[in-house]
Amino acid sequence: MSDTTGITPDADLRRRFVEEVDGNFSVIAPAGVGKTRAIVERVIHIALSDFDRAREWLPRLVVVTYTNKAAEEMQQRARSALVEHHVDLAILTQFNRAFFGTIHSFCARLLQSHGHYLGLPPRLEILEDENAMWADFTRRLYRKTRYLSDAARREALRYVPLKEIIRLAQKLKPWTQPPPLTAQAPPPLELDTLLAFPAKGRGAAGIAASLHNLKEWQSARDAGHEFVGLPRCRGGSKEFRGAWRHAFYPLRRWLAKATAAIACEIAADYRNYRLARACLTYDDQVELARRLLHHPAAGRAIRAEEYRVILDEAQDTDPLQFDVLLEVTRPADSEGQWHDKDADPPRQGAFCMVGDPQQAIYGDRADLEYYARVRNWLTKQAGGEELVFRTTFRCDRAIVDFVNRVGPAMLDGRDQQTHYVRLEPRPNCGPGTVIRRILTRPDDLAQRPTLDDSTRAEAAALAEWLAATGHAALGAGAWSQVAVLCPRISWLNILESAFNSRGLRTQSHSPKLIRGDRPAQAWFTALMKIMWDPQDSWEIVGVLREVFGLSDDALYRFGHNEPSAFTIEREPQGNGPVEETLRLLAQLRSAAGGLPLREASEMIVE
């Protein structure tokens, strides 16, 4: 542990997570509480605390997080710490065998080693773009399903185009089961009442047009046309539209189940079509890994490896992914599934997860209800324990107090919402500032403006207020320390234009504008940037953190009293890790200053 132990309100909980490596934990880690640091320190403690245990555990360590970038950061931080501790080469070698990566990468590793149990080919490729394969598959698609009789299939396809069902199949997971279909034929329609509805009064024209369409549709259907679709209601009174919905409800309900059955069959057939060509999607990797773990021989062989899993971003983990990670940590001879009554839970010290239901952002993947079930099961039935980290290192006191005031009203635990976790400010934090600015609508703005019109108006008002207020009133030493967050990438240009018109220089950052997730480009760019601008403290902190792996705590302790200390224009005093790194960068800048650009770049990289 670092020397922050004992100074934060939750210091003992953090110490336990790091040092009690024989225990299973569910950690709730709200924004800015240092979850990455805690995970890294648990890994470091495993490597440093016991030589024999480290040699045994490190090659079986599985650290799973949402992105490869986050995994690389954790691995680099841990490796840098081990090098600084001058660990035995044998320990460093075993550490290099540990897994840091995404759940999909881990599942791919399992399939590569054990996929033959499922009859998979030895070499599998990830299908990045499915459009071409879907097109080839649909050209070969036979119009039949195992869930429906031929007559039922023909009836369903009379009302719903096959291309619409294929579009639905493309959105389904290949293992999705269709809803039960008790009737193999569509129900008869009772249309006499609807056809006799009087076309008079308010909405008479809509009623007449709708009834005309209905009669033509009925004639085509009774004549046996191969495709008739469903007739459209062209309007009419509220009573008429209600009668229309009531008349067609039985057919629509049957069609929903029938087309779902066809779509499920298509999705499953498409998956088999992919596998026959040695191509997998990311979902395939997880689902097939789960099948491996429930294969009698493969599951036993995988569990015999005695993996030890640390799961990051647990709130964005879906049920199948949870199943894979929990199954690999159970004893080798376990039977059934982890959630079965009286089933063997994960081995002690083999499964830990860190997450926060308040930060679930991937709606197509996350299942907070399932995450809550796993937390409850791990802590109440499987011998684990839940720890809550509350001290945030990201914000000063006024900001923390503001979030604590508004948070409970938004996250109140009702309607499947999670409960708010109260934050605590870090020790010796600054007072902080919270400013609420209400932007008024210009008088010349249209009564019903478009979204871009509203954005331009807000951007102009915000730029005017910022220019008049100045960065000092915001608590910033320069405009480079002010960040404006925007919910849509398309609005960045609008904001940039408004700011520039008020003389405020800007830099736009988005995944589509920069390659920030690629260290080969981001790290080099950052190094060159600080060589050109040695007082860019924001960029320098990023270099210290990302390139050199210095901890947030070390950076905070060095610069919390004087942020301007992060400079490489001069060599700093002191012998701490931050001072030594800044001294190295300052010396490097001085040595490269008189060289041609290419030679200077090569020296910096080396």
Side-chain angles (χ1 to χ4, degrees):
M1 282 289 289
S2 64
D3 57 3
T4 58
T5 303
I7 64 172
T8 62
D10 52 10
D12 187 60
L13 300 181
R14 296 170 184 268
R15 179 197 59 77
R16 291 189 57 206
F17 175 70
V18 170
E19 298 180 3
E20 295 181 12
V21 293
D22 288 317
N24 293 335
F25 294 104
S26 167
V27 177
I28 303 299
V33 300
K35 67 179 181 64
T36 299
R37 173 183 151 204
I39 292 173
V40 169
E41 289 189 343
R42 184 177 175 93
V43 174
I44 294 171
H45 186 81
I46 290 173
L48 297 179
S49 60
D50 184 286
F51 183 84
D52 292 333
R53 180 173 63 188
R55 293 185 61 185
E56 178 185 353
W57 284 17
L58 287 175
R60 298 173 174 85
L61 185 63
V62 176
V63 181
V64 175
T65 190
Y66 198 84
T67 66
N68 287 318
K69 179 183 178 182
E72 291 169 1
E73 178 186 347
M74 290 185 184
Q75 187 176 35
Q76 181 61 33
R77 285 197 194 186
R79 182 186 288 113
S80 298
L82 296 182
V83 171
E84 289 177 4
H85 281 84
H86 305 290
V87 297
D88 190 285
L89 181 60
I91 298 298
L92 197 58
T93 301
Q94 298 297 72
F95 170 81
N96 289 334
R97 294 174 59 191
F99 175 87
F100 289 78
T102 64
I103 178 65
H104 300 102
S105 299
F106 179 62
C107 289
R109 174 181 288 195
L110 297 181
L111 293 176
Q112 192 173 38
S113 301
H114 305 278
H116 58 278
Y117 285 102
L118 301 180
L120 297 176
R123 298 191 64 177
L124 297 167
E125 295 183 6
I126 293 298
L127 193 59
E128 299 287 353
D129 183 2
E130 297 187 66
N131 291 332
M133 184 161 285
W134 261 110
D136 187 59
F137 168 72
T138 52
R139 283 195 296 267
R140 302 166 184 261
L141 180 64
Y142 294 103
R143 297 188 176 190
K144 63 180 182 179
T145 73
R146 291 186 290 272
Y147 294 120
L148 298 177
S149 65
D150 288 344
R153 175 193 55 78
R154 284 194 299 270
E155 282 297 317
L157 292 175
R158 291 188 72 196
Y159 301 104
V160 182
L162 180 59
K163 65 179 182 180
E164 295 295 332
I165 301 178
I166 293 175
R167 189 173 293 122
L168 172 61
Q170 290 175 323
K171 298 177 181 180
L172 296 178
K173 306 296 185 184
W175 54 87
T176 304
Q177 293 298 311
L181 187 67
T182 56
Q184 289 290 319
L189 291 179
E190 299 293 339
L191 300 176
D192 293 343
T193 302
L194 190 60
L195 288 168
F197 205 97
K200 61 181 182 179
R202 191 173 184 181
I207 295 173
S210 299
L211 292 178
H212 177 74
N213 282 350
L214 178 57
K215 291 173 182 177
E216 288 189 340
W217 174 84
Q218 191 177 31
S219 297
R221 185 195 62 166
D222 295 344
H225 289 194
E226 182 177 357
F227 179 78
V228 295
L230 290 172
R232 289 182 58 189
C233 178
R234 297 287 185 176
S237 63
K238 180 179 179 181
E239 293 77 9
F240 176 76
R241 294 195 302 270
W244 186 285
R245 288 193 297 269
H246 178 76
F248 281 94
Y249 174 75
L251 177 59
R252 287 185 175 277
R253 185 179 181 185
W254 183 86
L255 285 174
K257 294 183 178 181
T259 54
I262 300 174
C264 288
E265 183 70 20
I266 292 173
D269 286 348
Y270 171 64
R271 194 266 299 273
N272 294 334
Y273 184 81
R274 292 195 306 268
L275 295 183
R277 287 153 182 78
C279 292
L280 299 180
T281 65
Y282 290 109
D283 286 334
D284 288 335
Q285 291 178 312
V286 180
E287 196 268 338
L288 291 172
R290 182 175 181 270
R291 285 174 55 187
L292 268 181
L293 286 159
H294 293 293
H295 186 284
R300 186 178 300 108
I302 293 172
R303 289 191 292 268
E305 295 288 337
E306 295 190 342
Y307 290 111
R308 295 180 178 272
V309 172
I310 303 176
L311 171 61
D312 186 25
E313 305 291 2
Q315 76 280 355
D316 288 317
T317 303
D318 73 23
L320 279 184
Q321 295 165 356
F322 266 125
D323 288 356
V324 169
L325 297 175
L326 287 165
E327 287 294 337
V328 300
T329 57
R330 299 172 68 204
D333 295 328
S334 298
E335 297 181 354
Q337 302 184 54
W338 62 269
H339 50 70
D340 291 342
K341 186 178 181 181
D342 300 325
D344 293 324
R347 308 179 319 277
Q348 285 300 308
F351 183 80
C352 288
M353 62 181 183
V354 180
D356 178 17
Q358 301 171 128
Q359 299 185 66
I361 59 175
Y362 296 97
D364 59 340
R365 163 172 163 169
D367 187 331
L368 290 181
E369 185 177 355
Y370 200 86
Y371 172 46
R373 283 178 54 195
V374 173
R375 288 168 50 197
N376 183 71
W377 172 84
L378 183 67
T379 57
K380 295 184 179 178
Q381 301 179 44
E385 186 176 352
E386 186 152 277
L387 309 175
V388 181
F389 295 171
R390 298 180 183 274
T391 304
T392 178
F393 298 90
R394 185 172 296 171
C395 305
D396 288 329
R397 184 173 299 278
I399 301 173
V400 174
D401 291 344
F402 173 76
V403 173
N404 283 338
R405 288 198 304 273
V406 301
M410 296 185 292
L411 304 175
D412 57 8
R414 296 183 297 181
D415 298 327
Q416 299 183 335
Q417 183 61 271
T418 187
H419 287 281
Y420 176 72
V421 177
R422 182 178 176 82
L423 296 173
E424 297 290 341
R426 66 187 183 277
N428 303 317
C429 70
T433 303
V434 174
I435 302 172
R436 183 183 182 188
R437 178 69 180 176
I438 299 177
L439 303 177
T440 57
R441 174 180 296 208
D443 295 335
D444 58 351
L445 194 64
Q447 289 298 316
R448 292 188 176 181
T450 65
L451 196 57
D452 282 353
D453 289 338
S454 297
T455 304
R456 290 188 185 93
E458 290 183 6
L462 179 61
E464 182 178 359
W465 178 76
L466 286 175
T469 303
H471 56 73
L474 303 178
W479 283 118
S480 61
Q481 298 175 3
V482 177
V484 178
L485 307 183
C486 177
R488 296 192 179 186
I489 293 176
S490 61
W491 293 353
L492 290 175
N493 290 335
I494 297 176
L495 282 167
E496 186 174 13
S497 176
F499 281 30
N500 288 340
S501 68
R502 302 295 302 181
L504 302 175
R505 296 178 59 191
T506 62
Q507 293 184 30
S508 293
H509 295 267
S510 81
K512 292 186 177 180
L513 298 175
I514 60 175
R515 299 181 181 271
D517 286 346
R518 299 184 181 182
Q521 286 139 336
W523 290 8
F524 173 74
T525 303
L527 284 168
M528 296 301 292
K529 175 64 167 62
I530 65 174
M531 295 297 160
W532 173 73
D533 185 359
Q535 293 185 336
D536 188 340
S537 58
W538 186 86
E539 199 72 60
I540 290 172
V541 169
V543 168
L544 297 176
R545 187 175 184 272
E546 302 294 333
V547 181
F548 290 89
L550 298 182
S551 69
D552 292 342
D553 177 64
L555 296 172
Y556 166 72
R557 288 180 170 277
F558 174 79
H560 76 284
N561 288 327
E562 187 182 355
S564 60
F566 288 105
T567 176
I568 60 172
E569 195 168 35
R570 59 184 182 277
E571 294 186 23
Q573 302 297 318
N575 298 312
V578 178
E579 290 89 339
E580 292 179 359
T581 308
L582 289 175
R583 190 175 302 117
L584 168 67
L585 291 170
Q587 294 169 354
L588 181 60
R589 177 175 179 271
S590 176
L595 297 176
L597 179 60
R598 181 181 180 87
E599 294 181 20
S601 301
E602 291 176 348
M603 175 186 291
I604 292 167
V605 171
E606 183 179 356

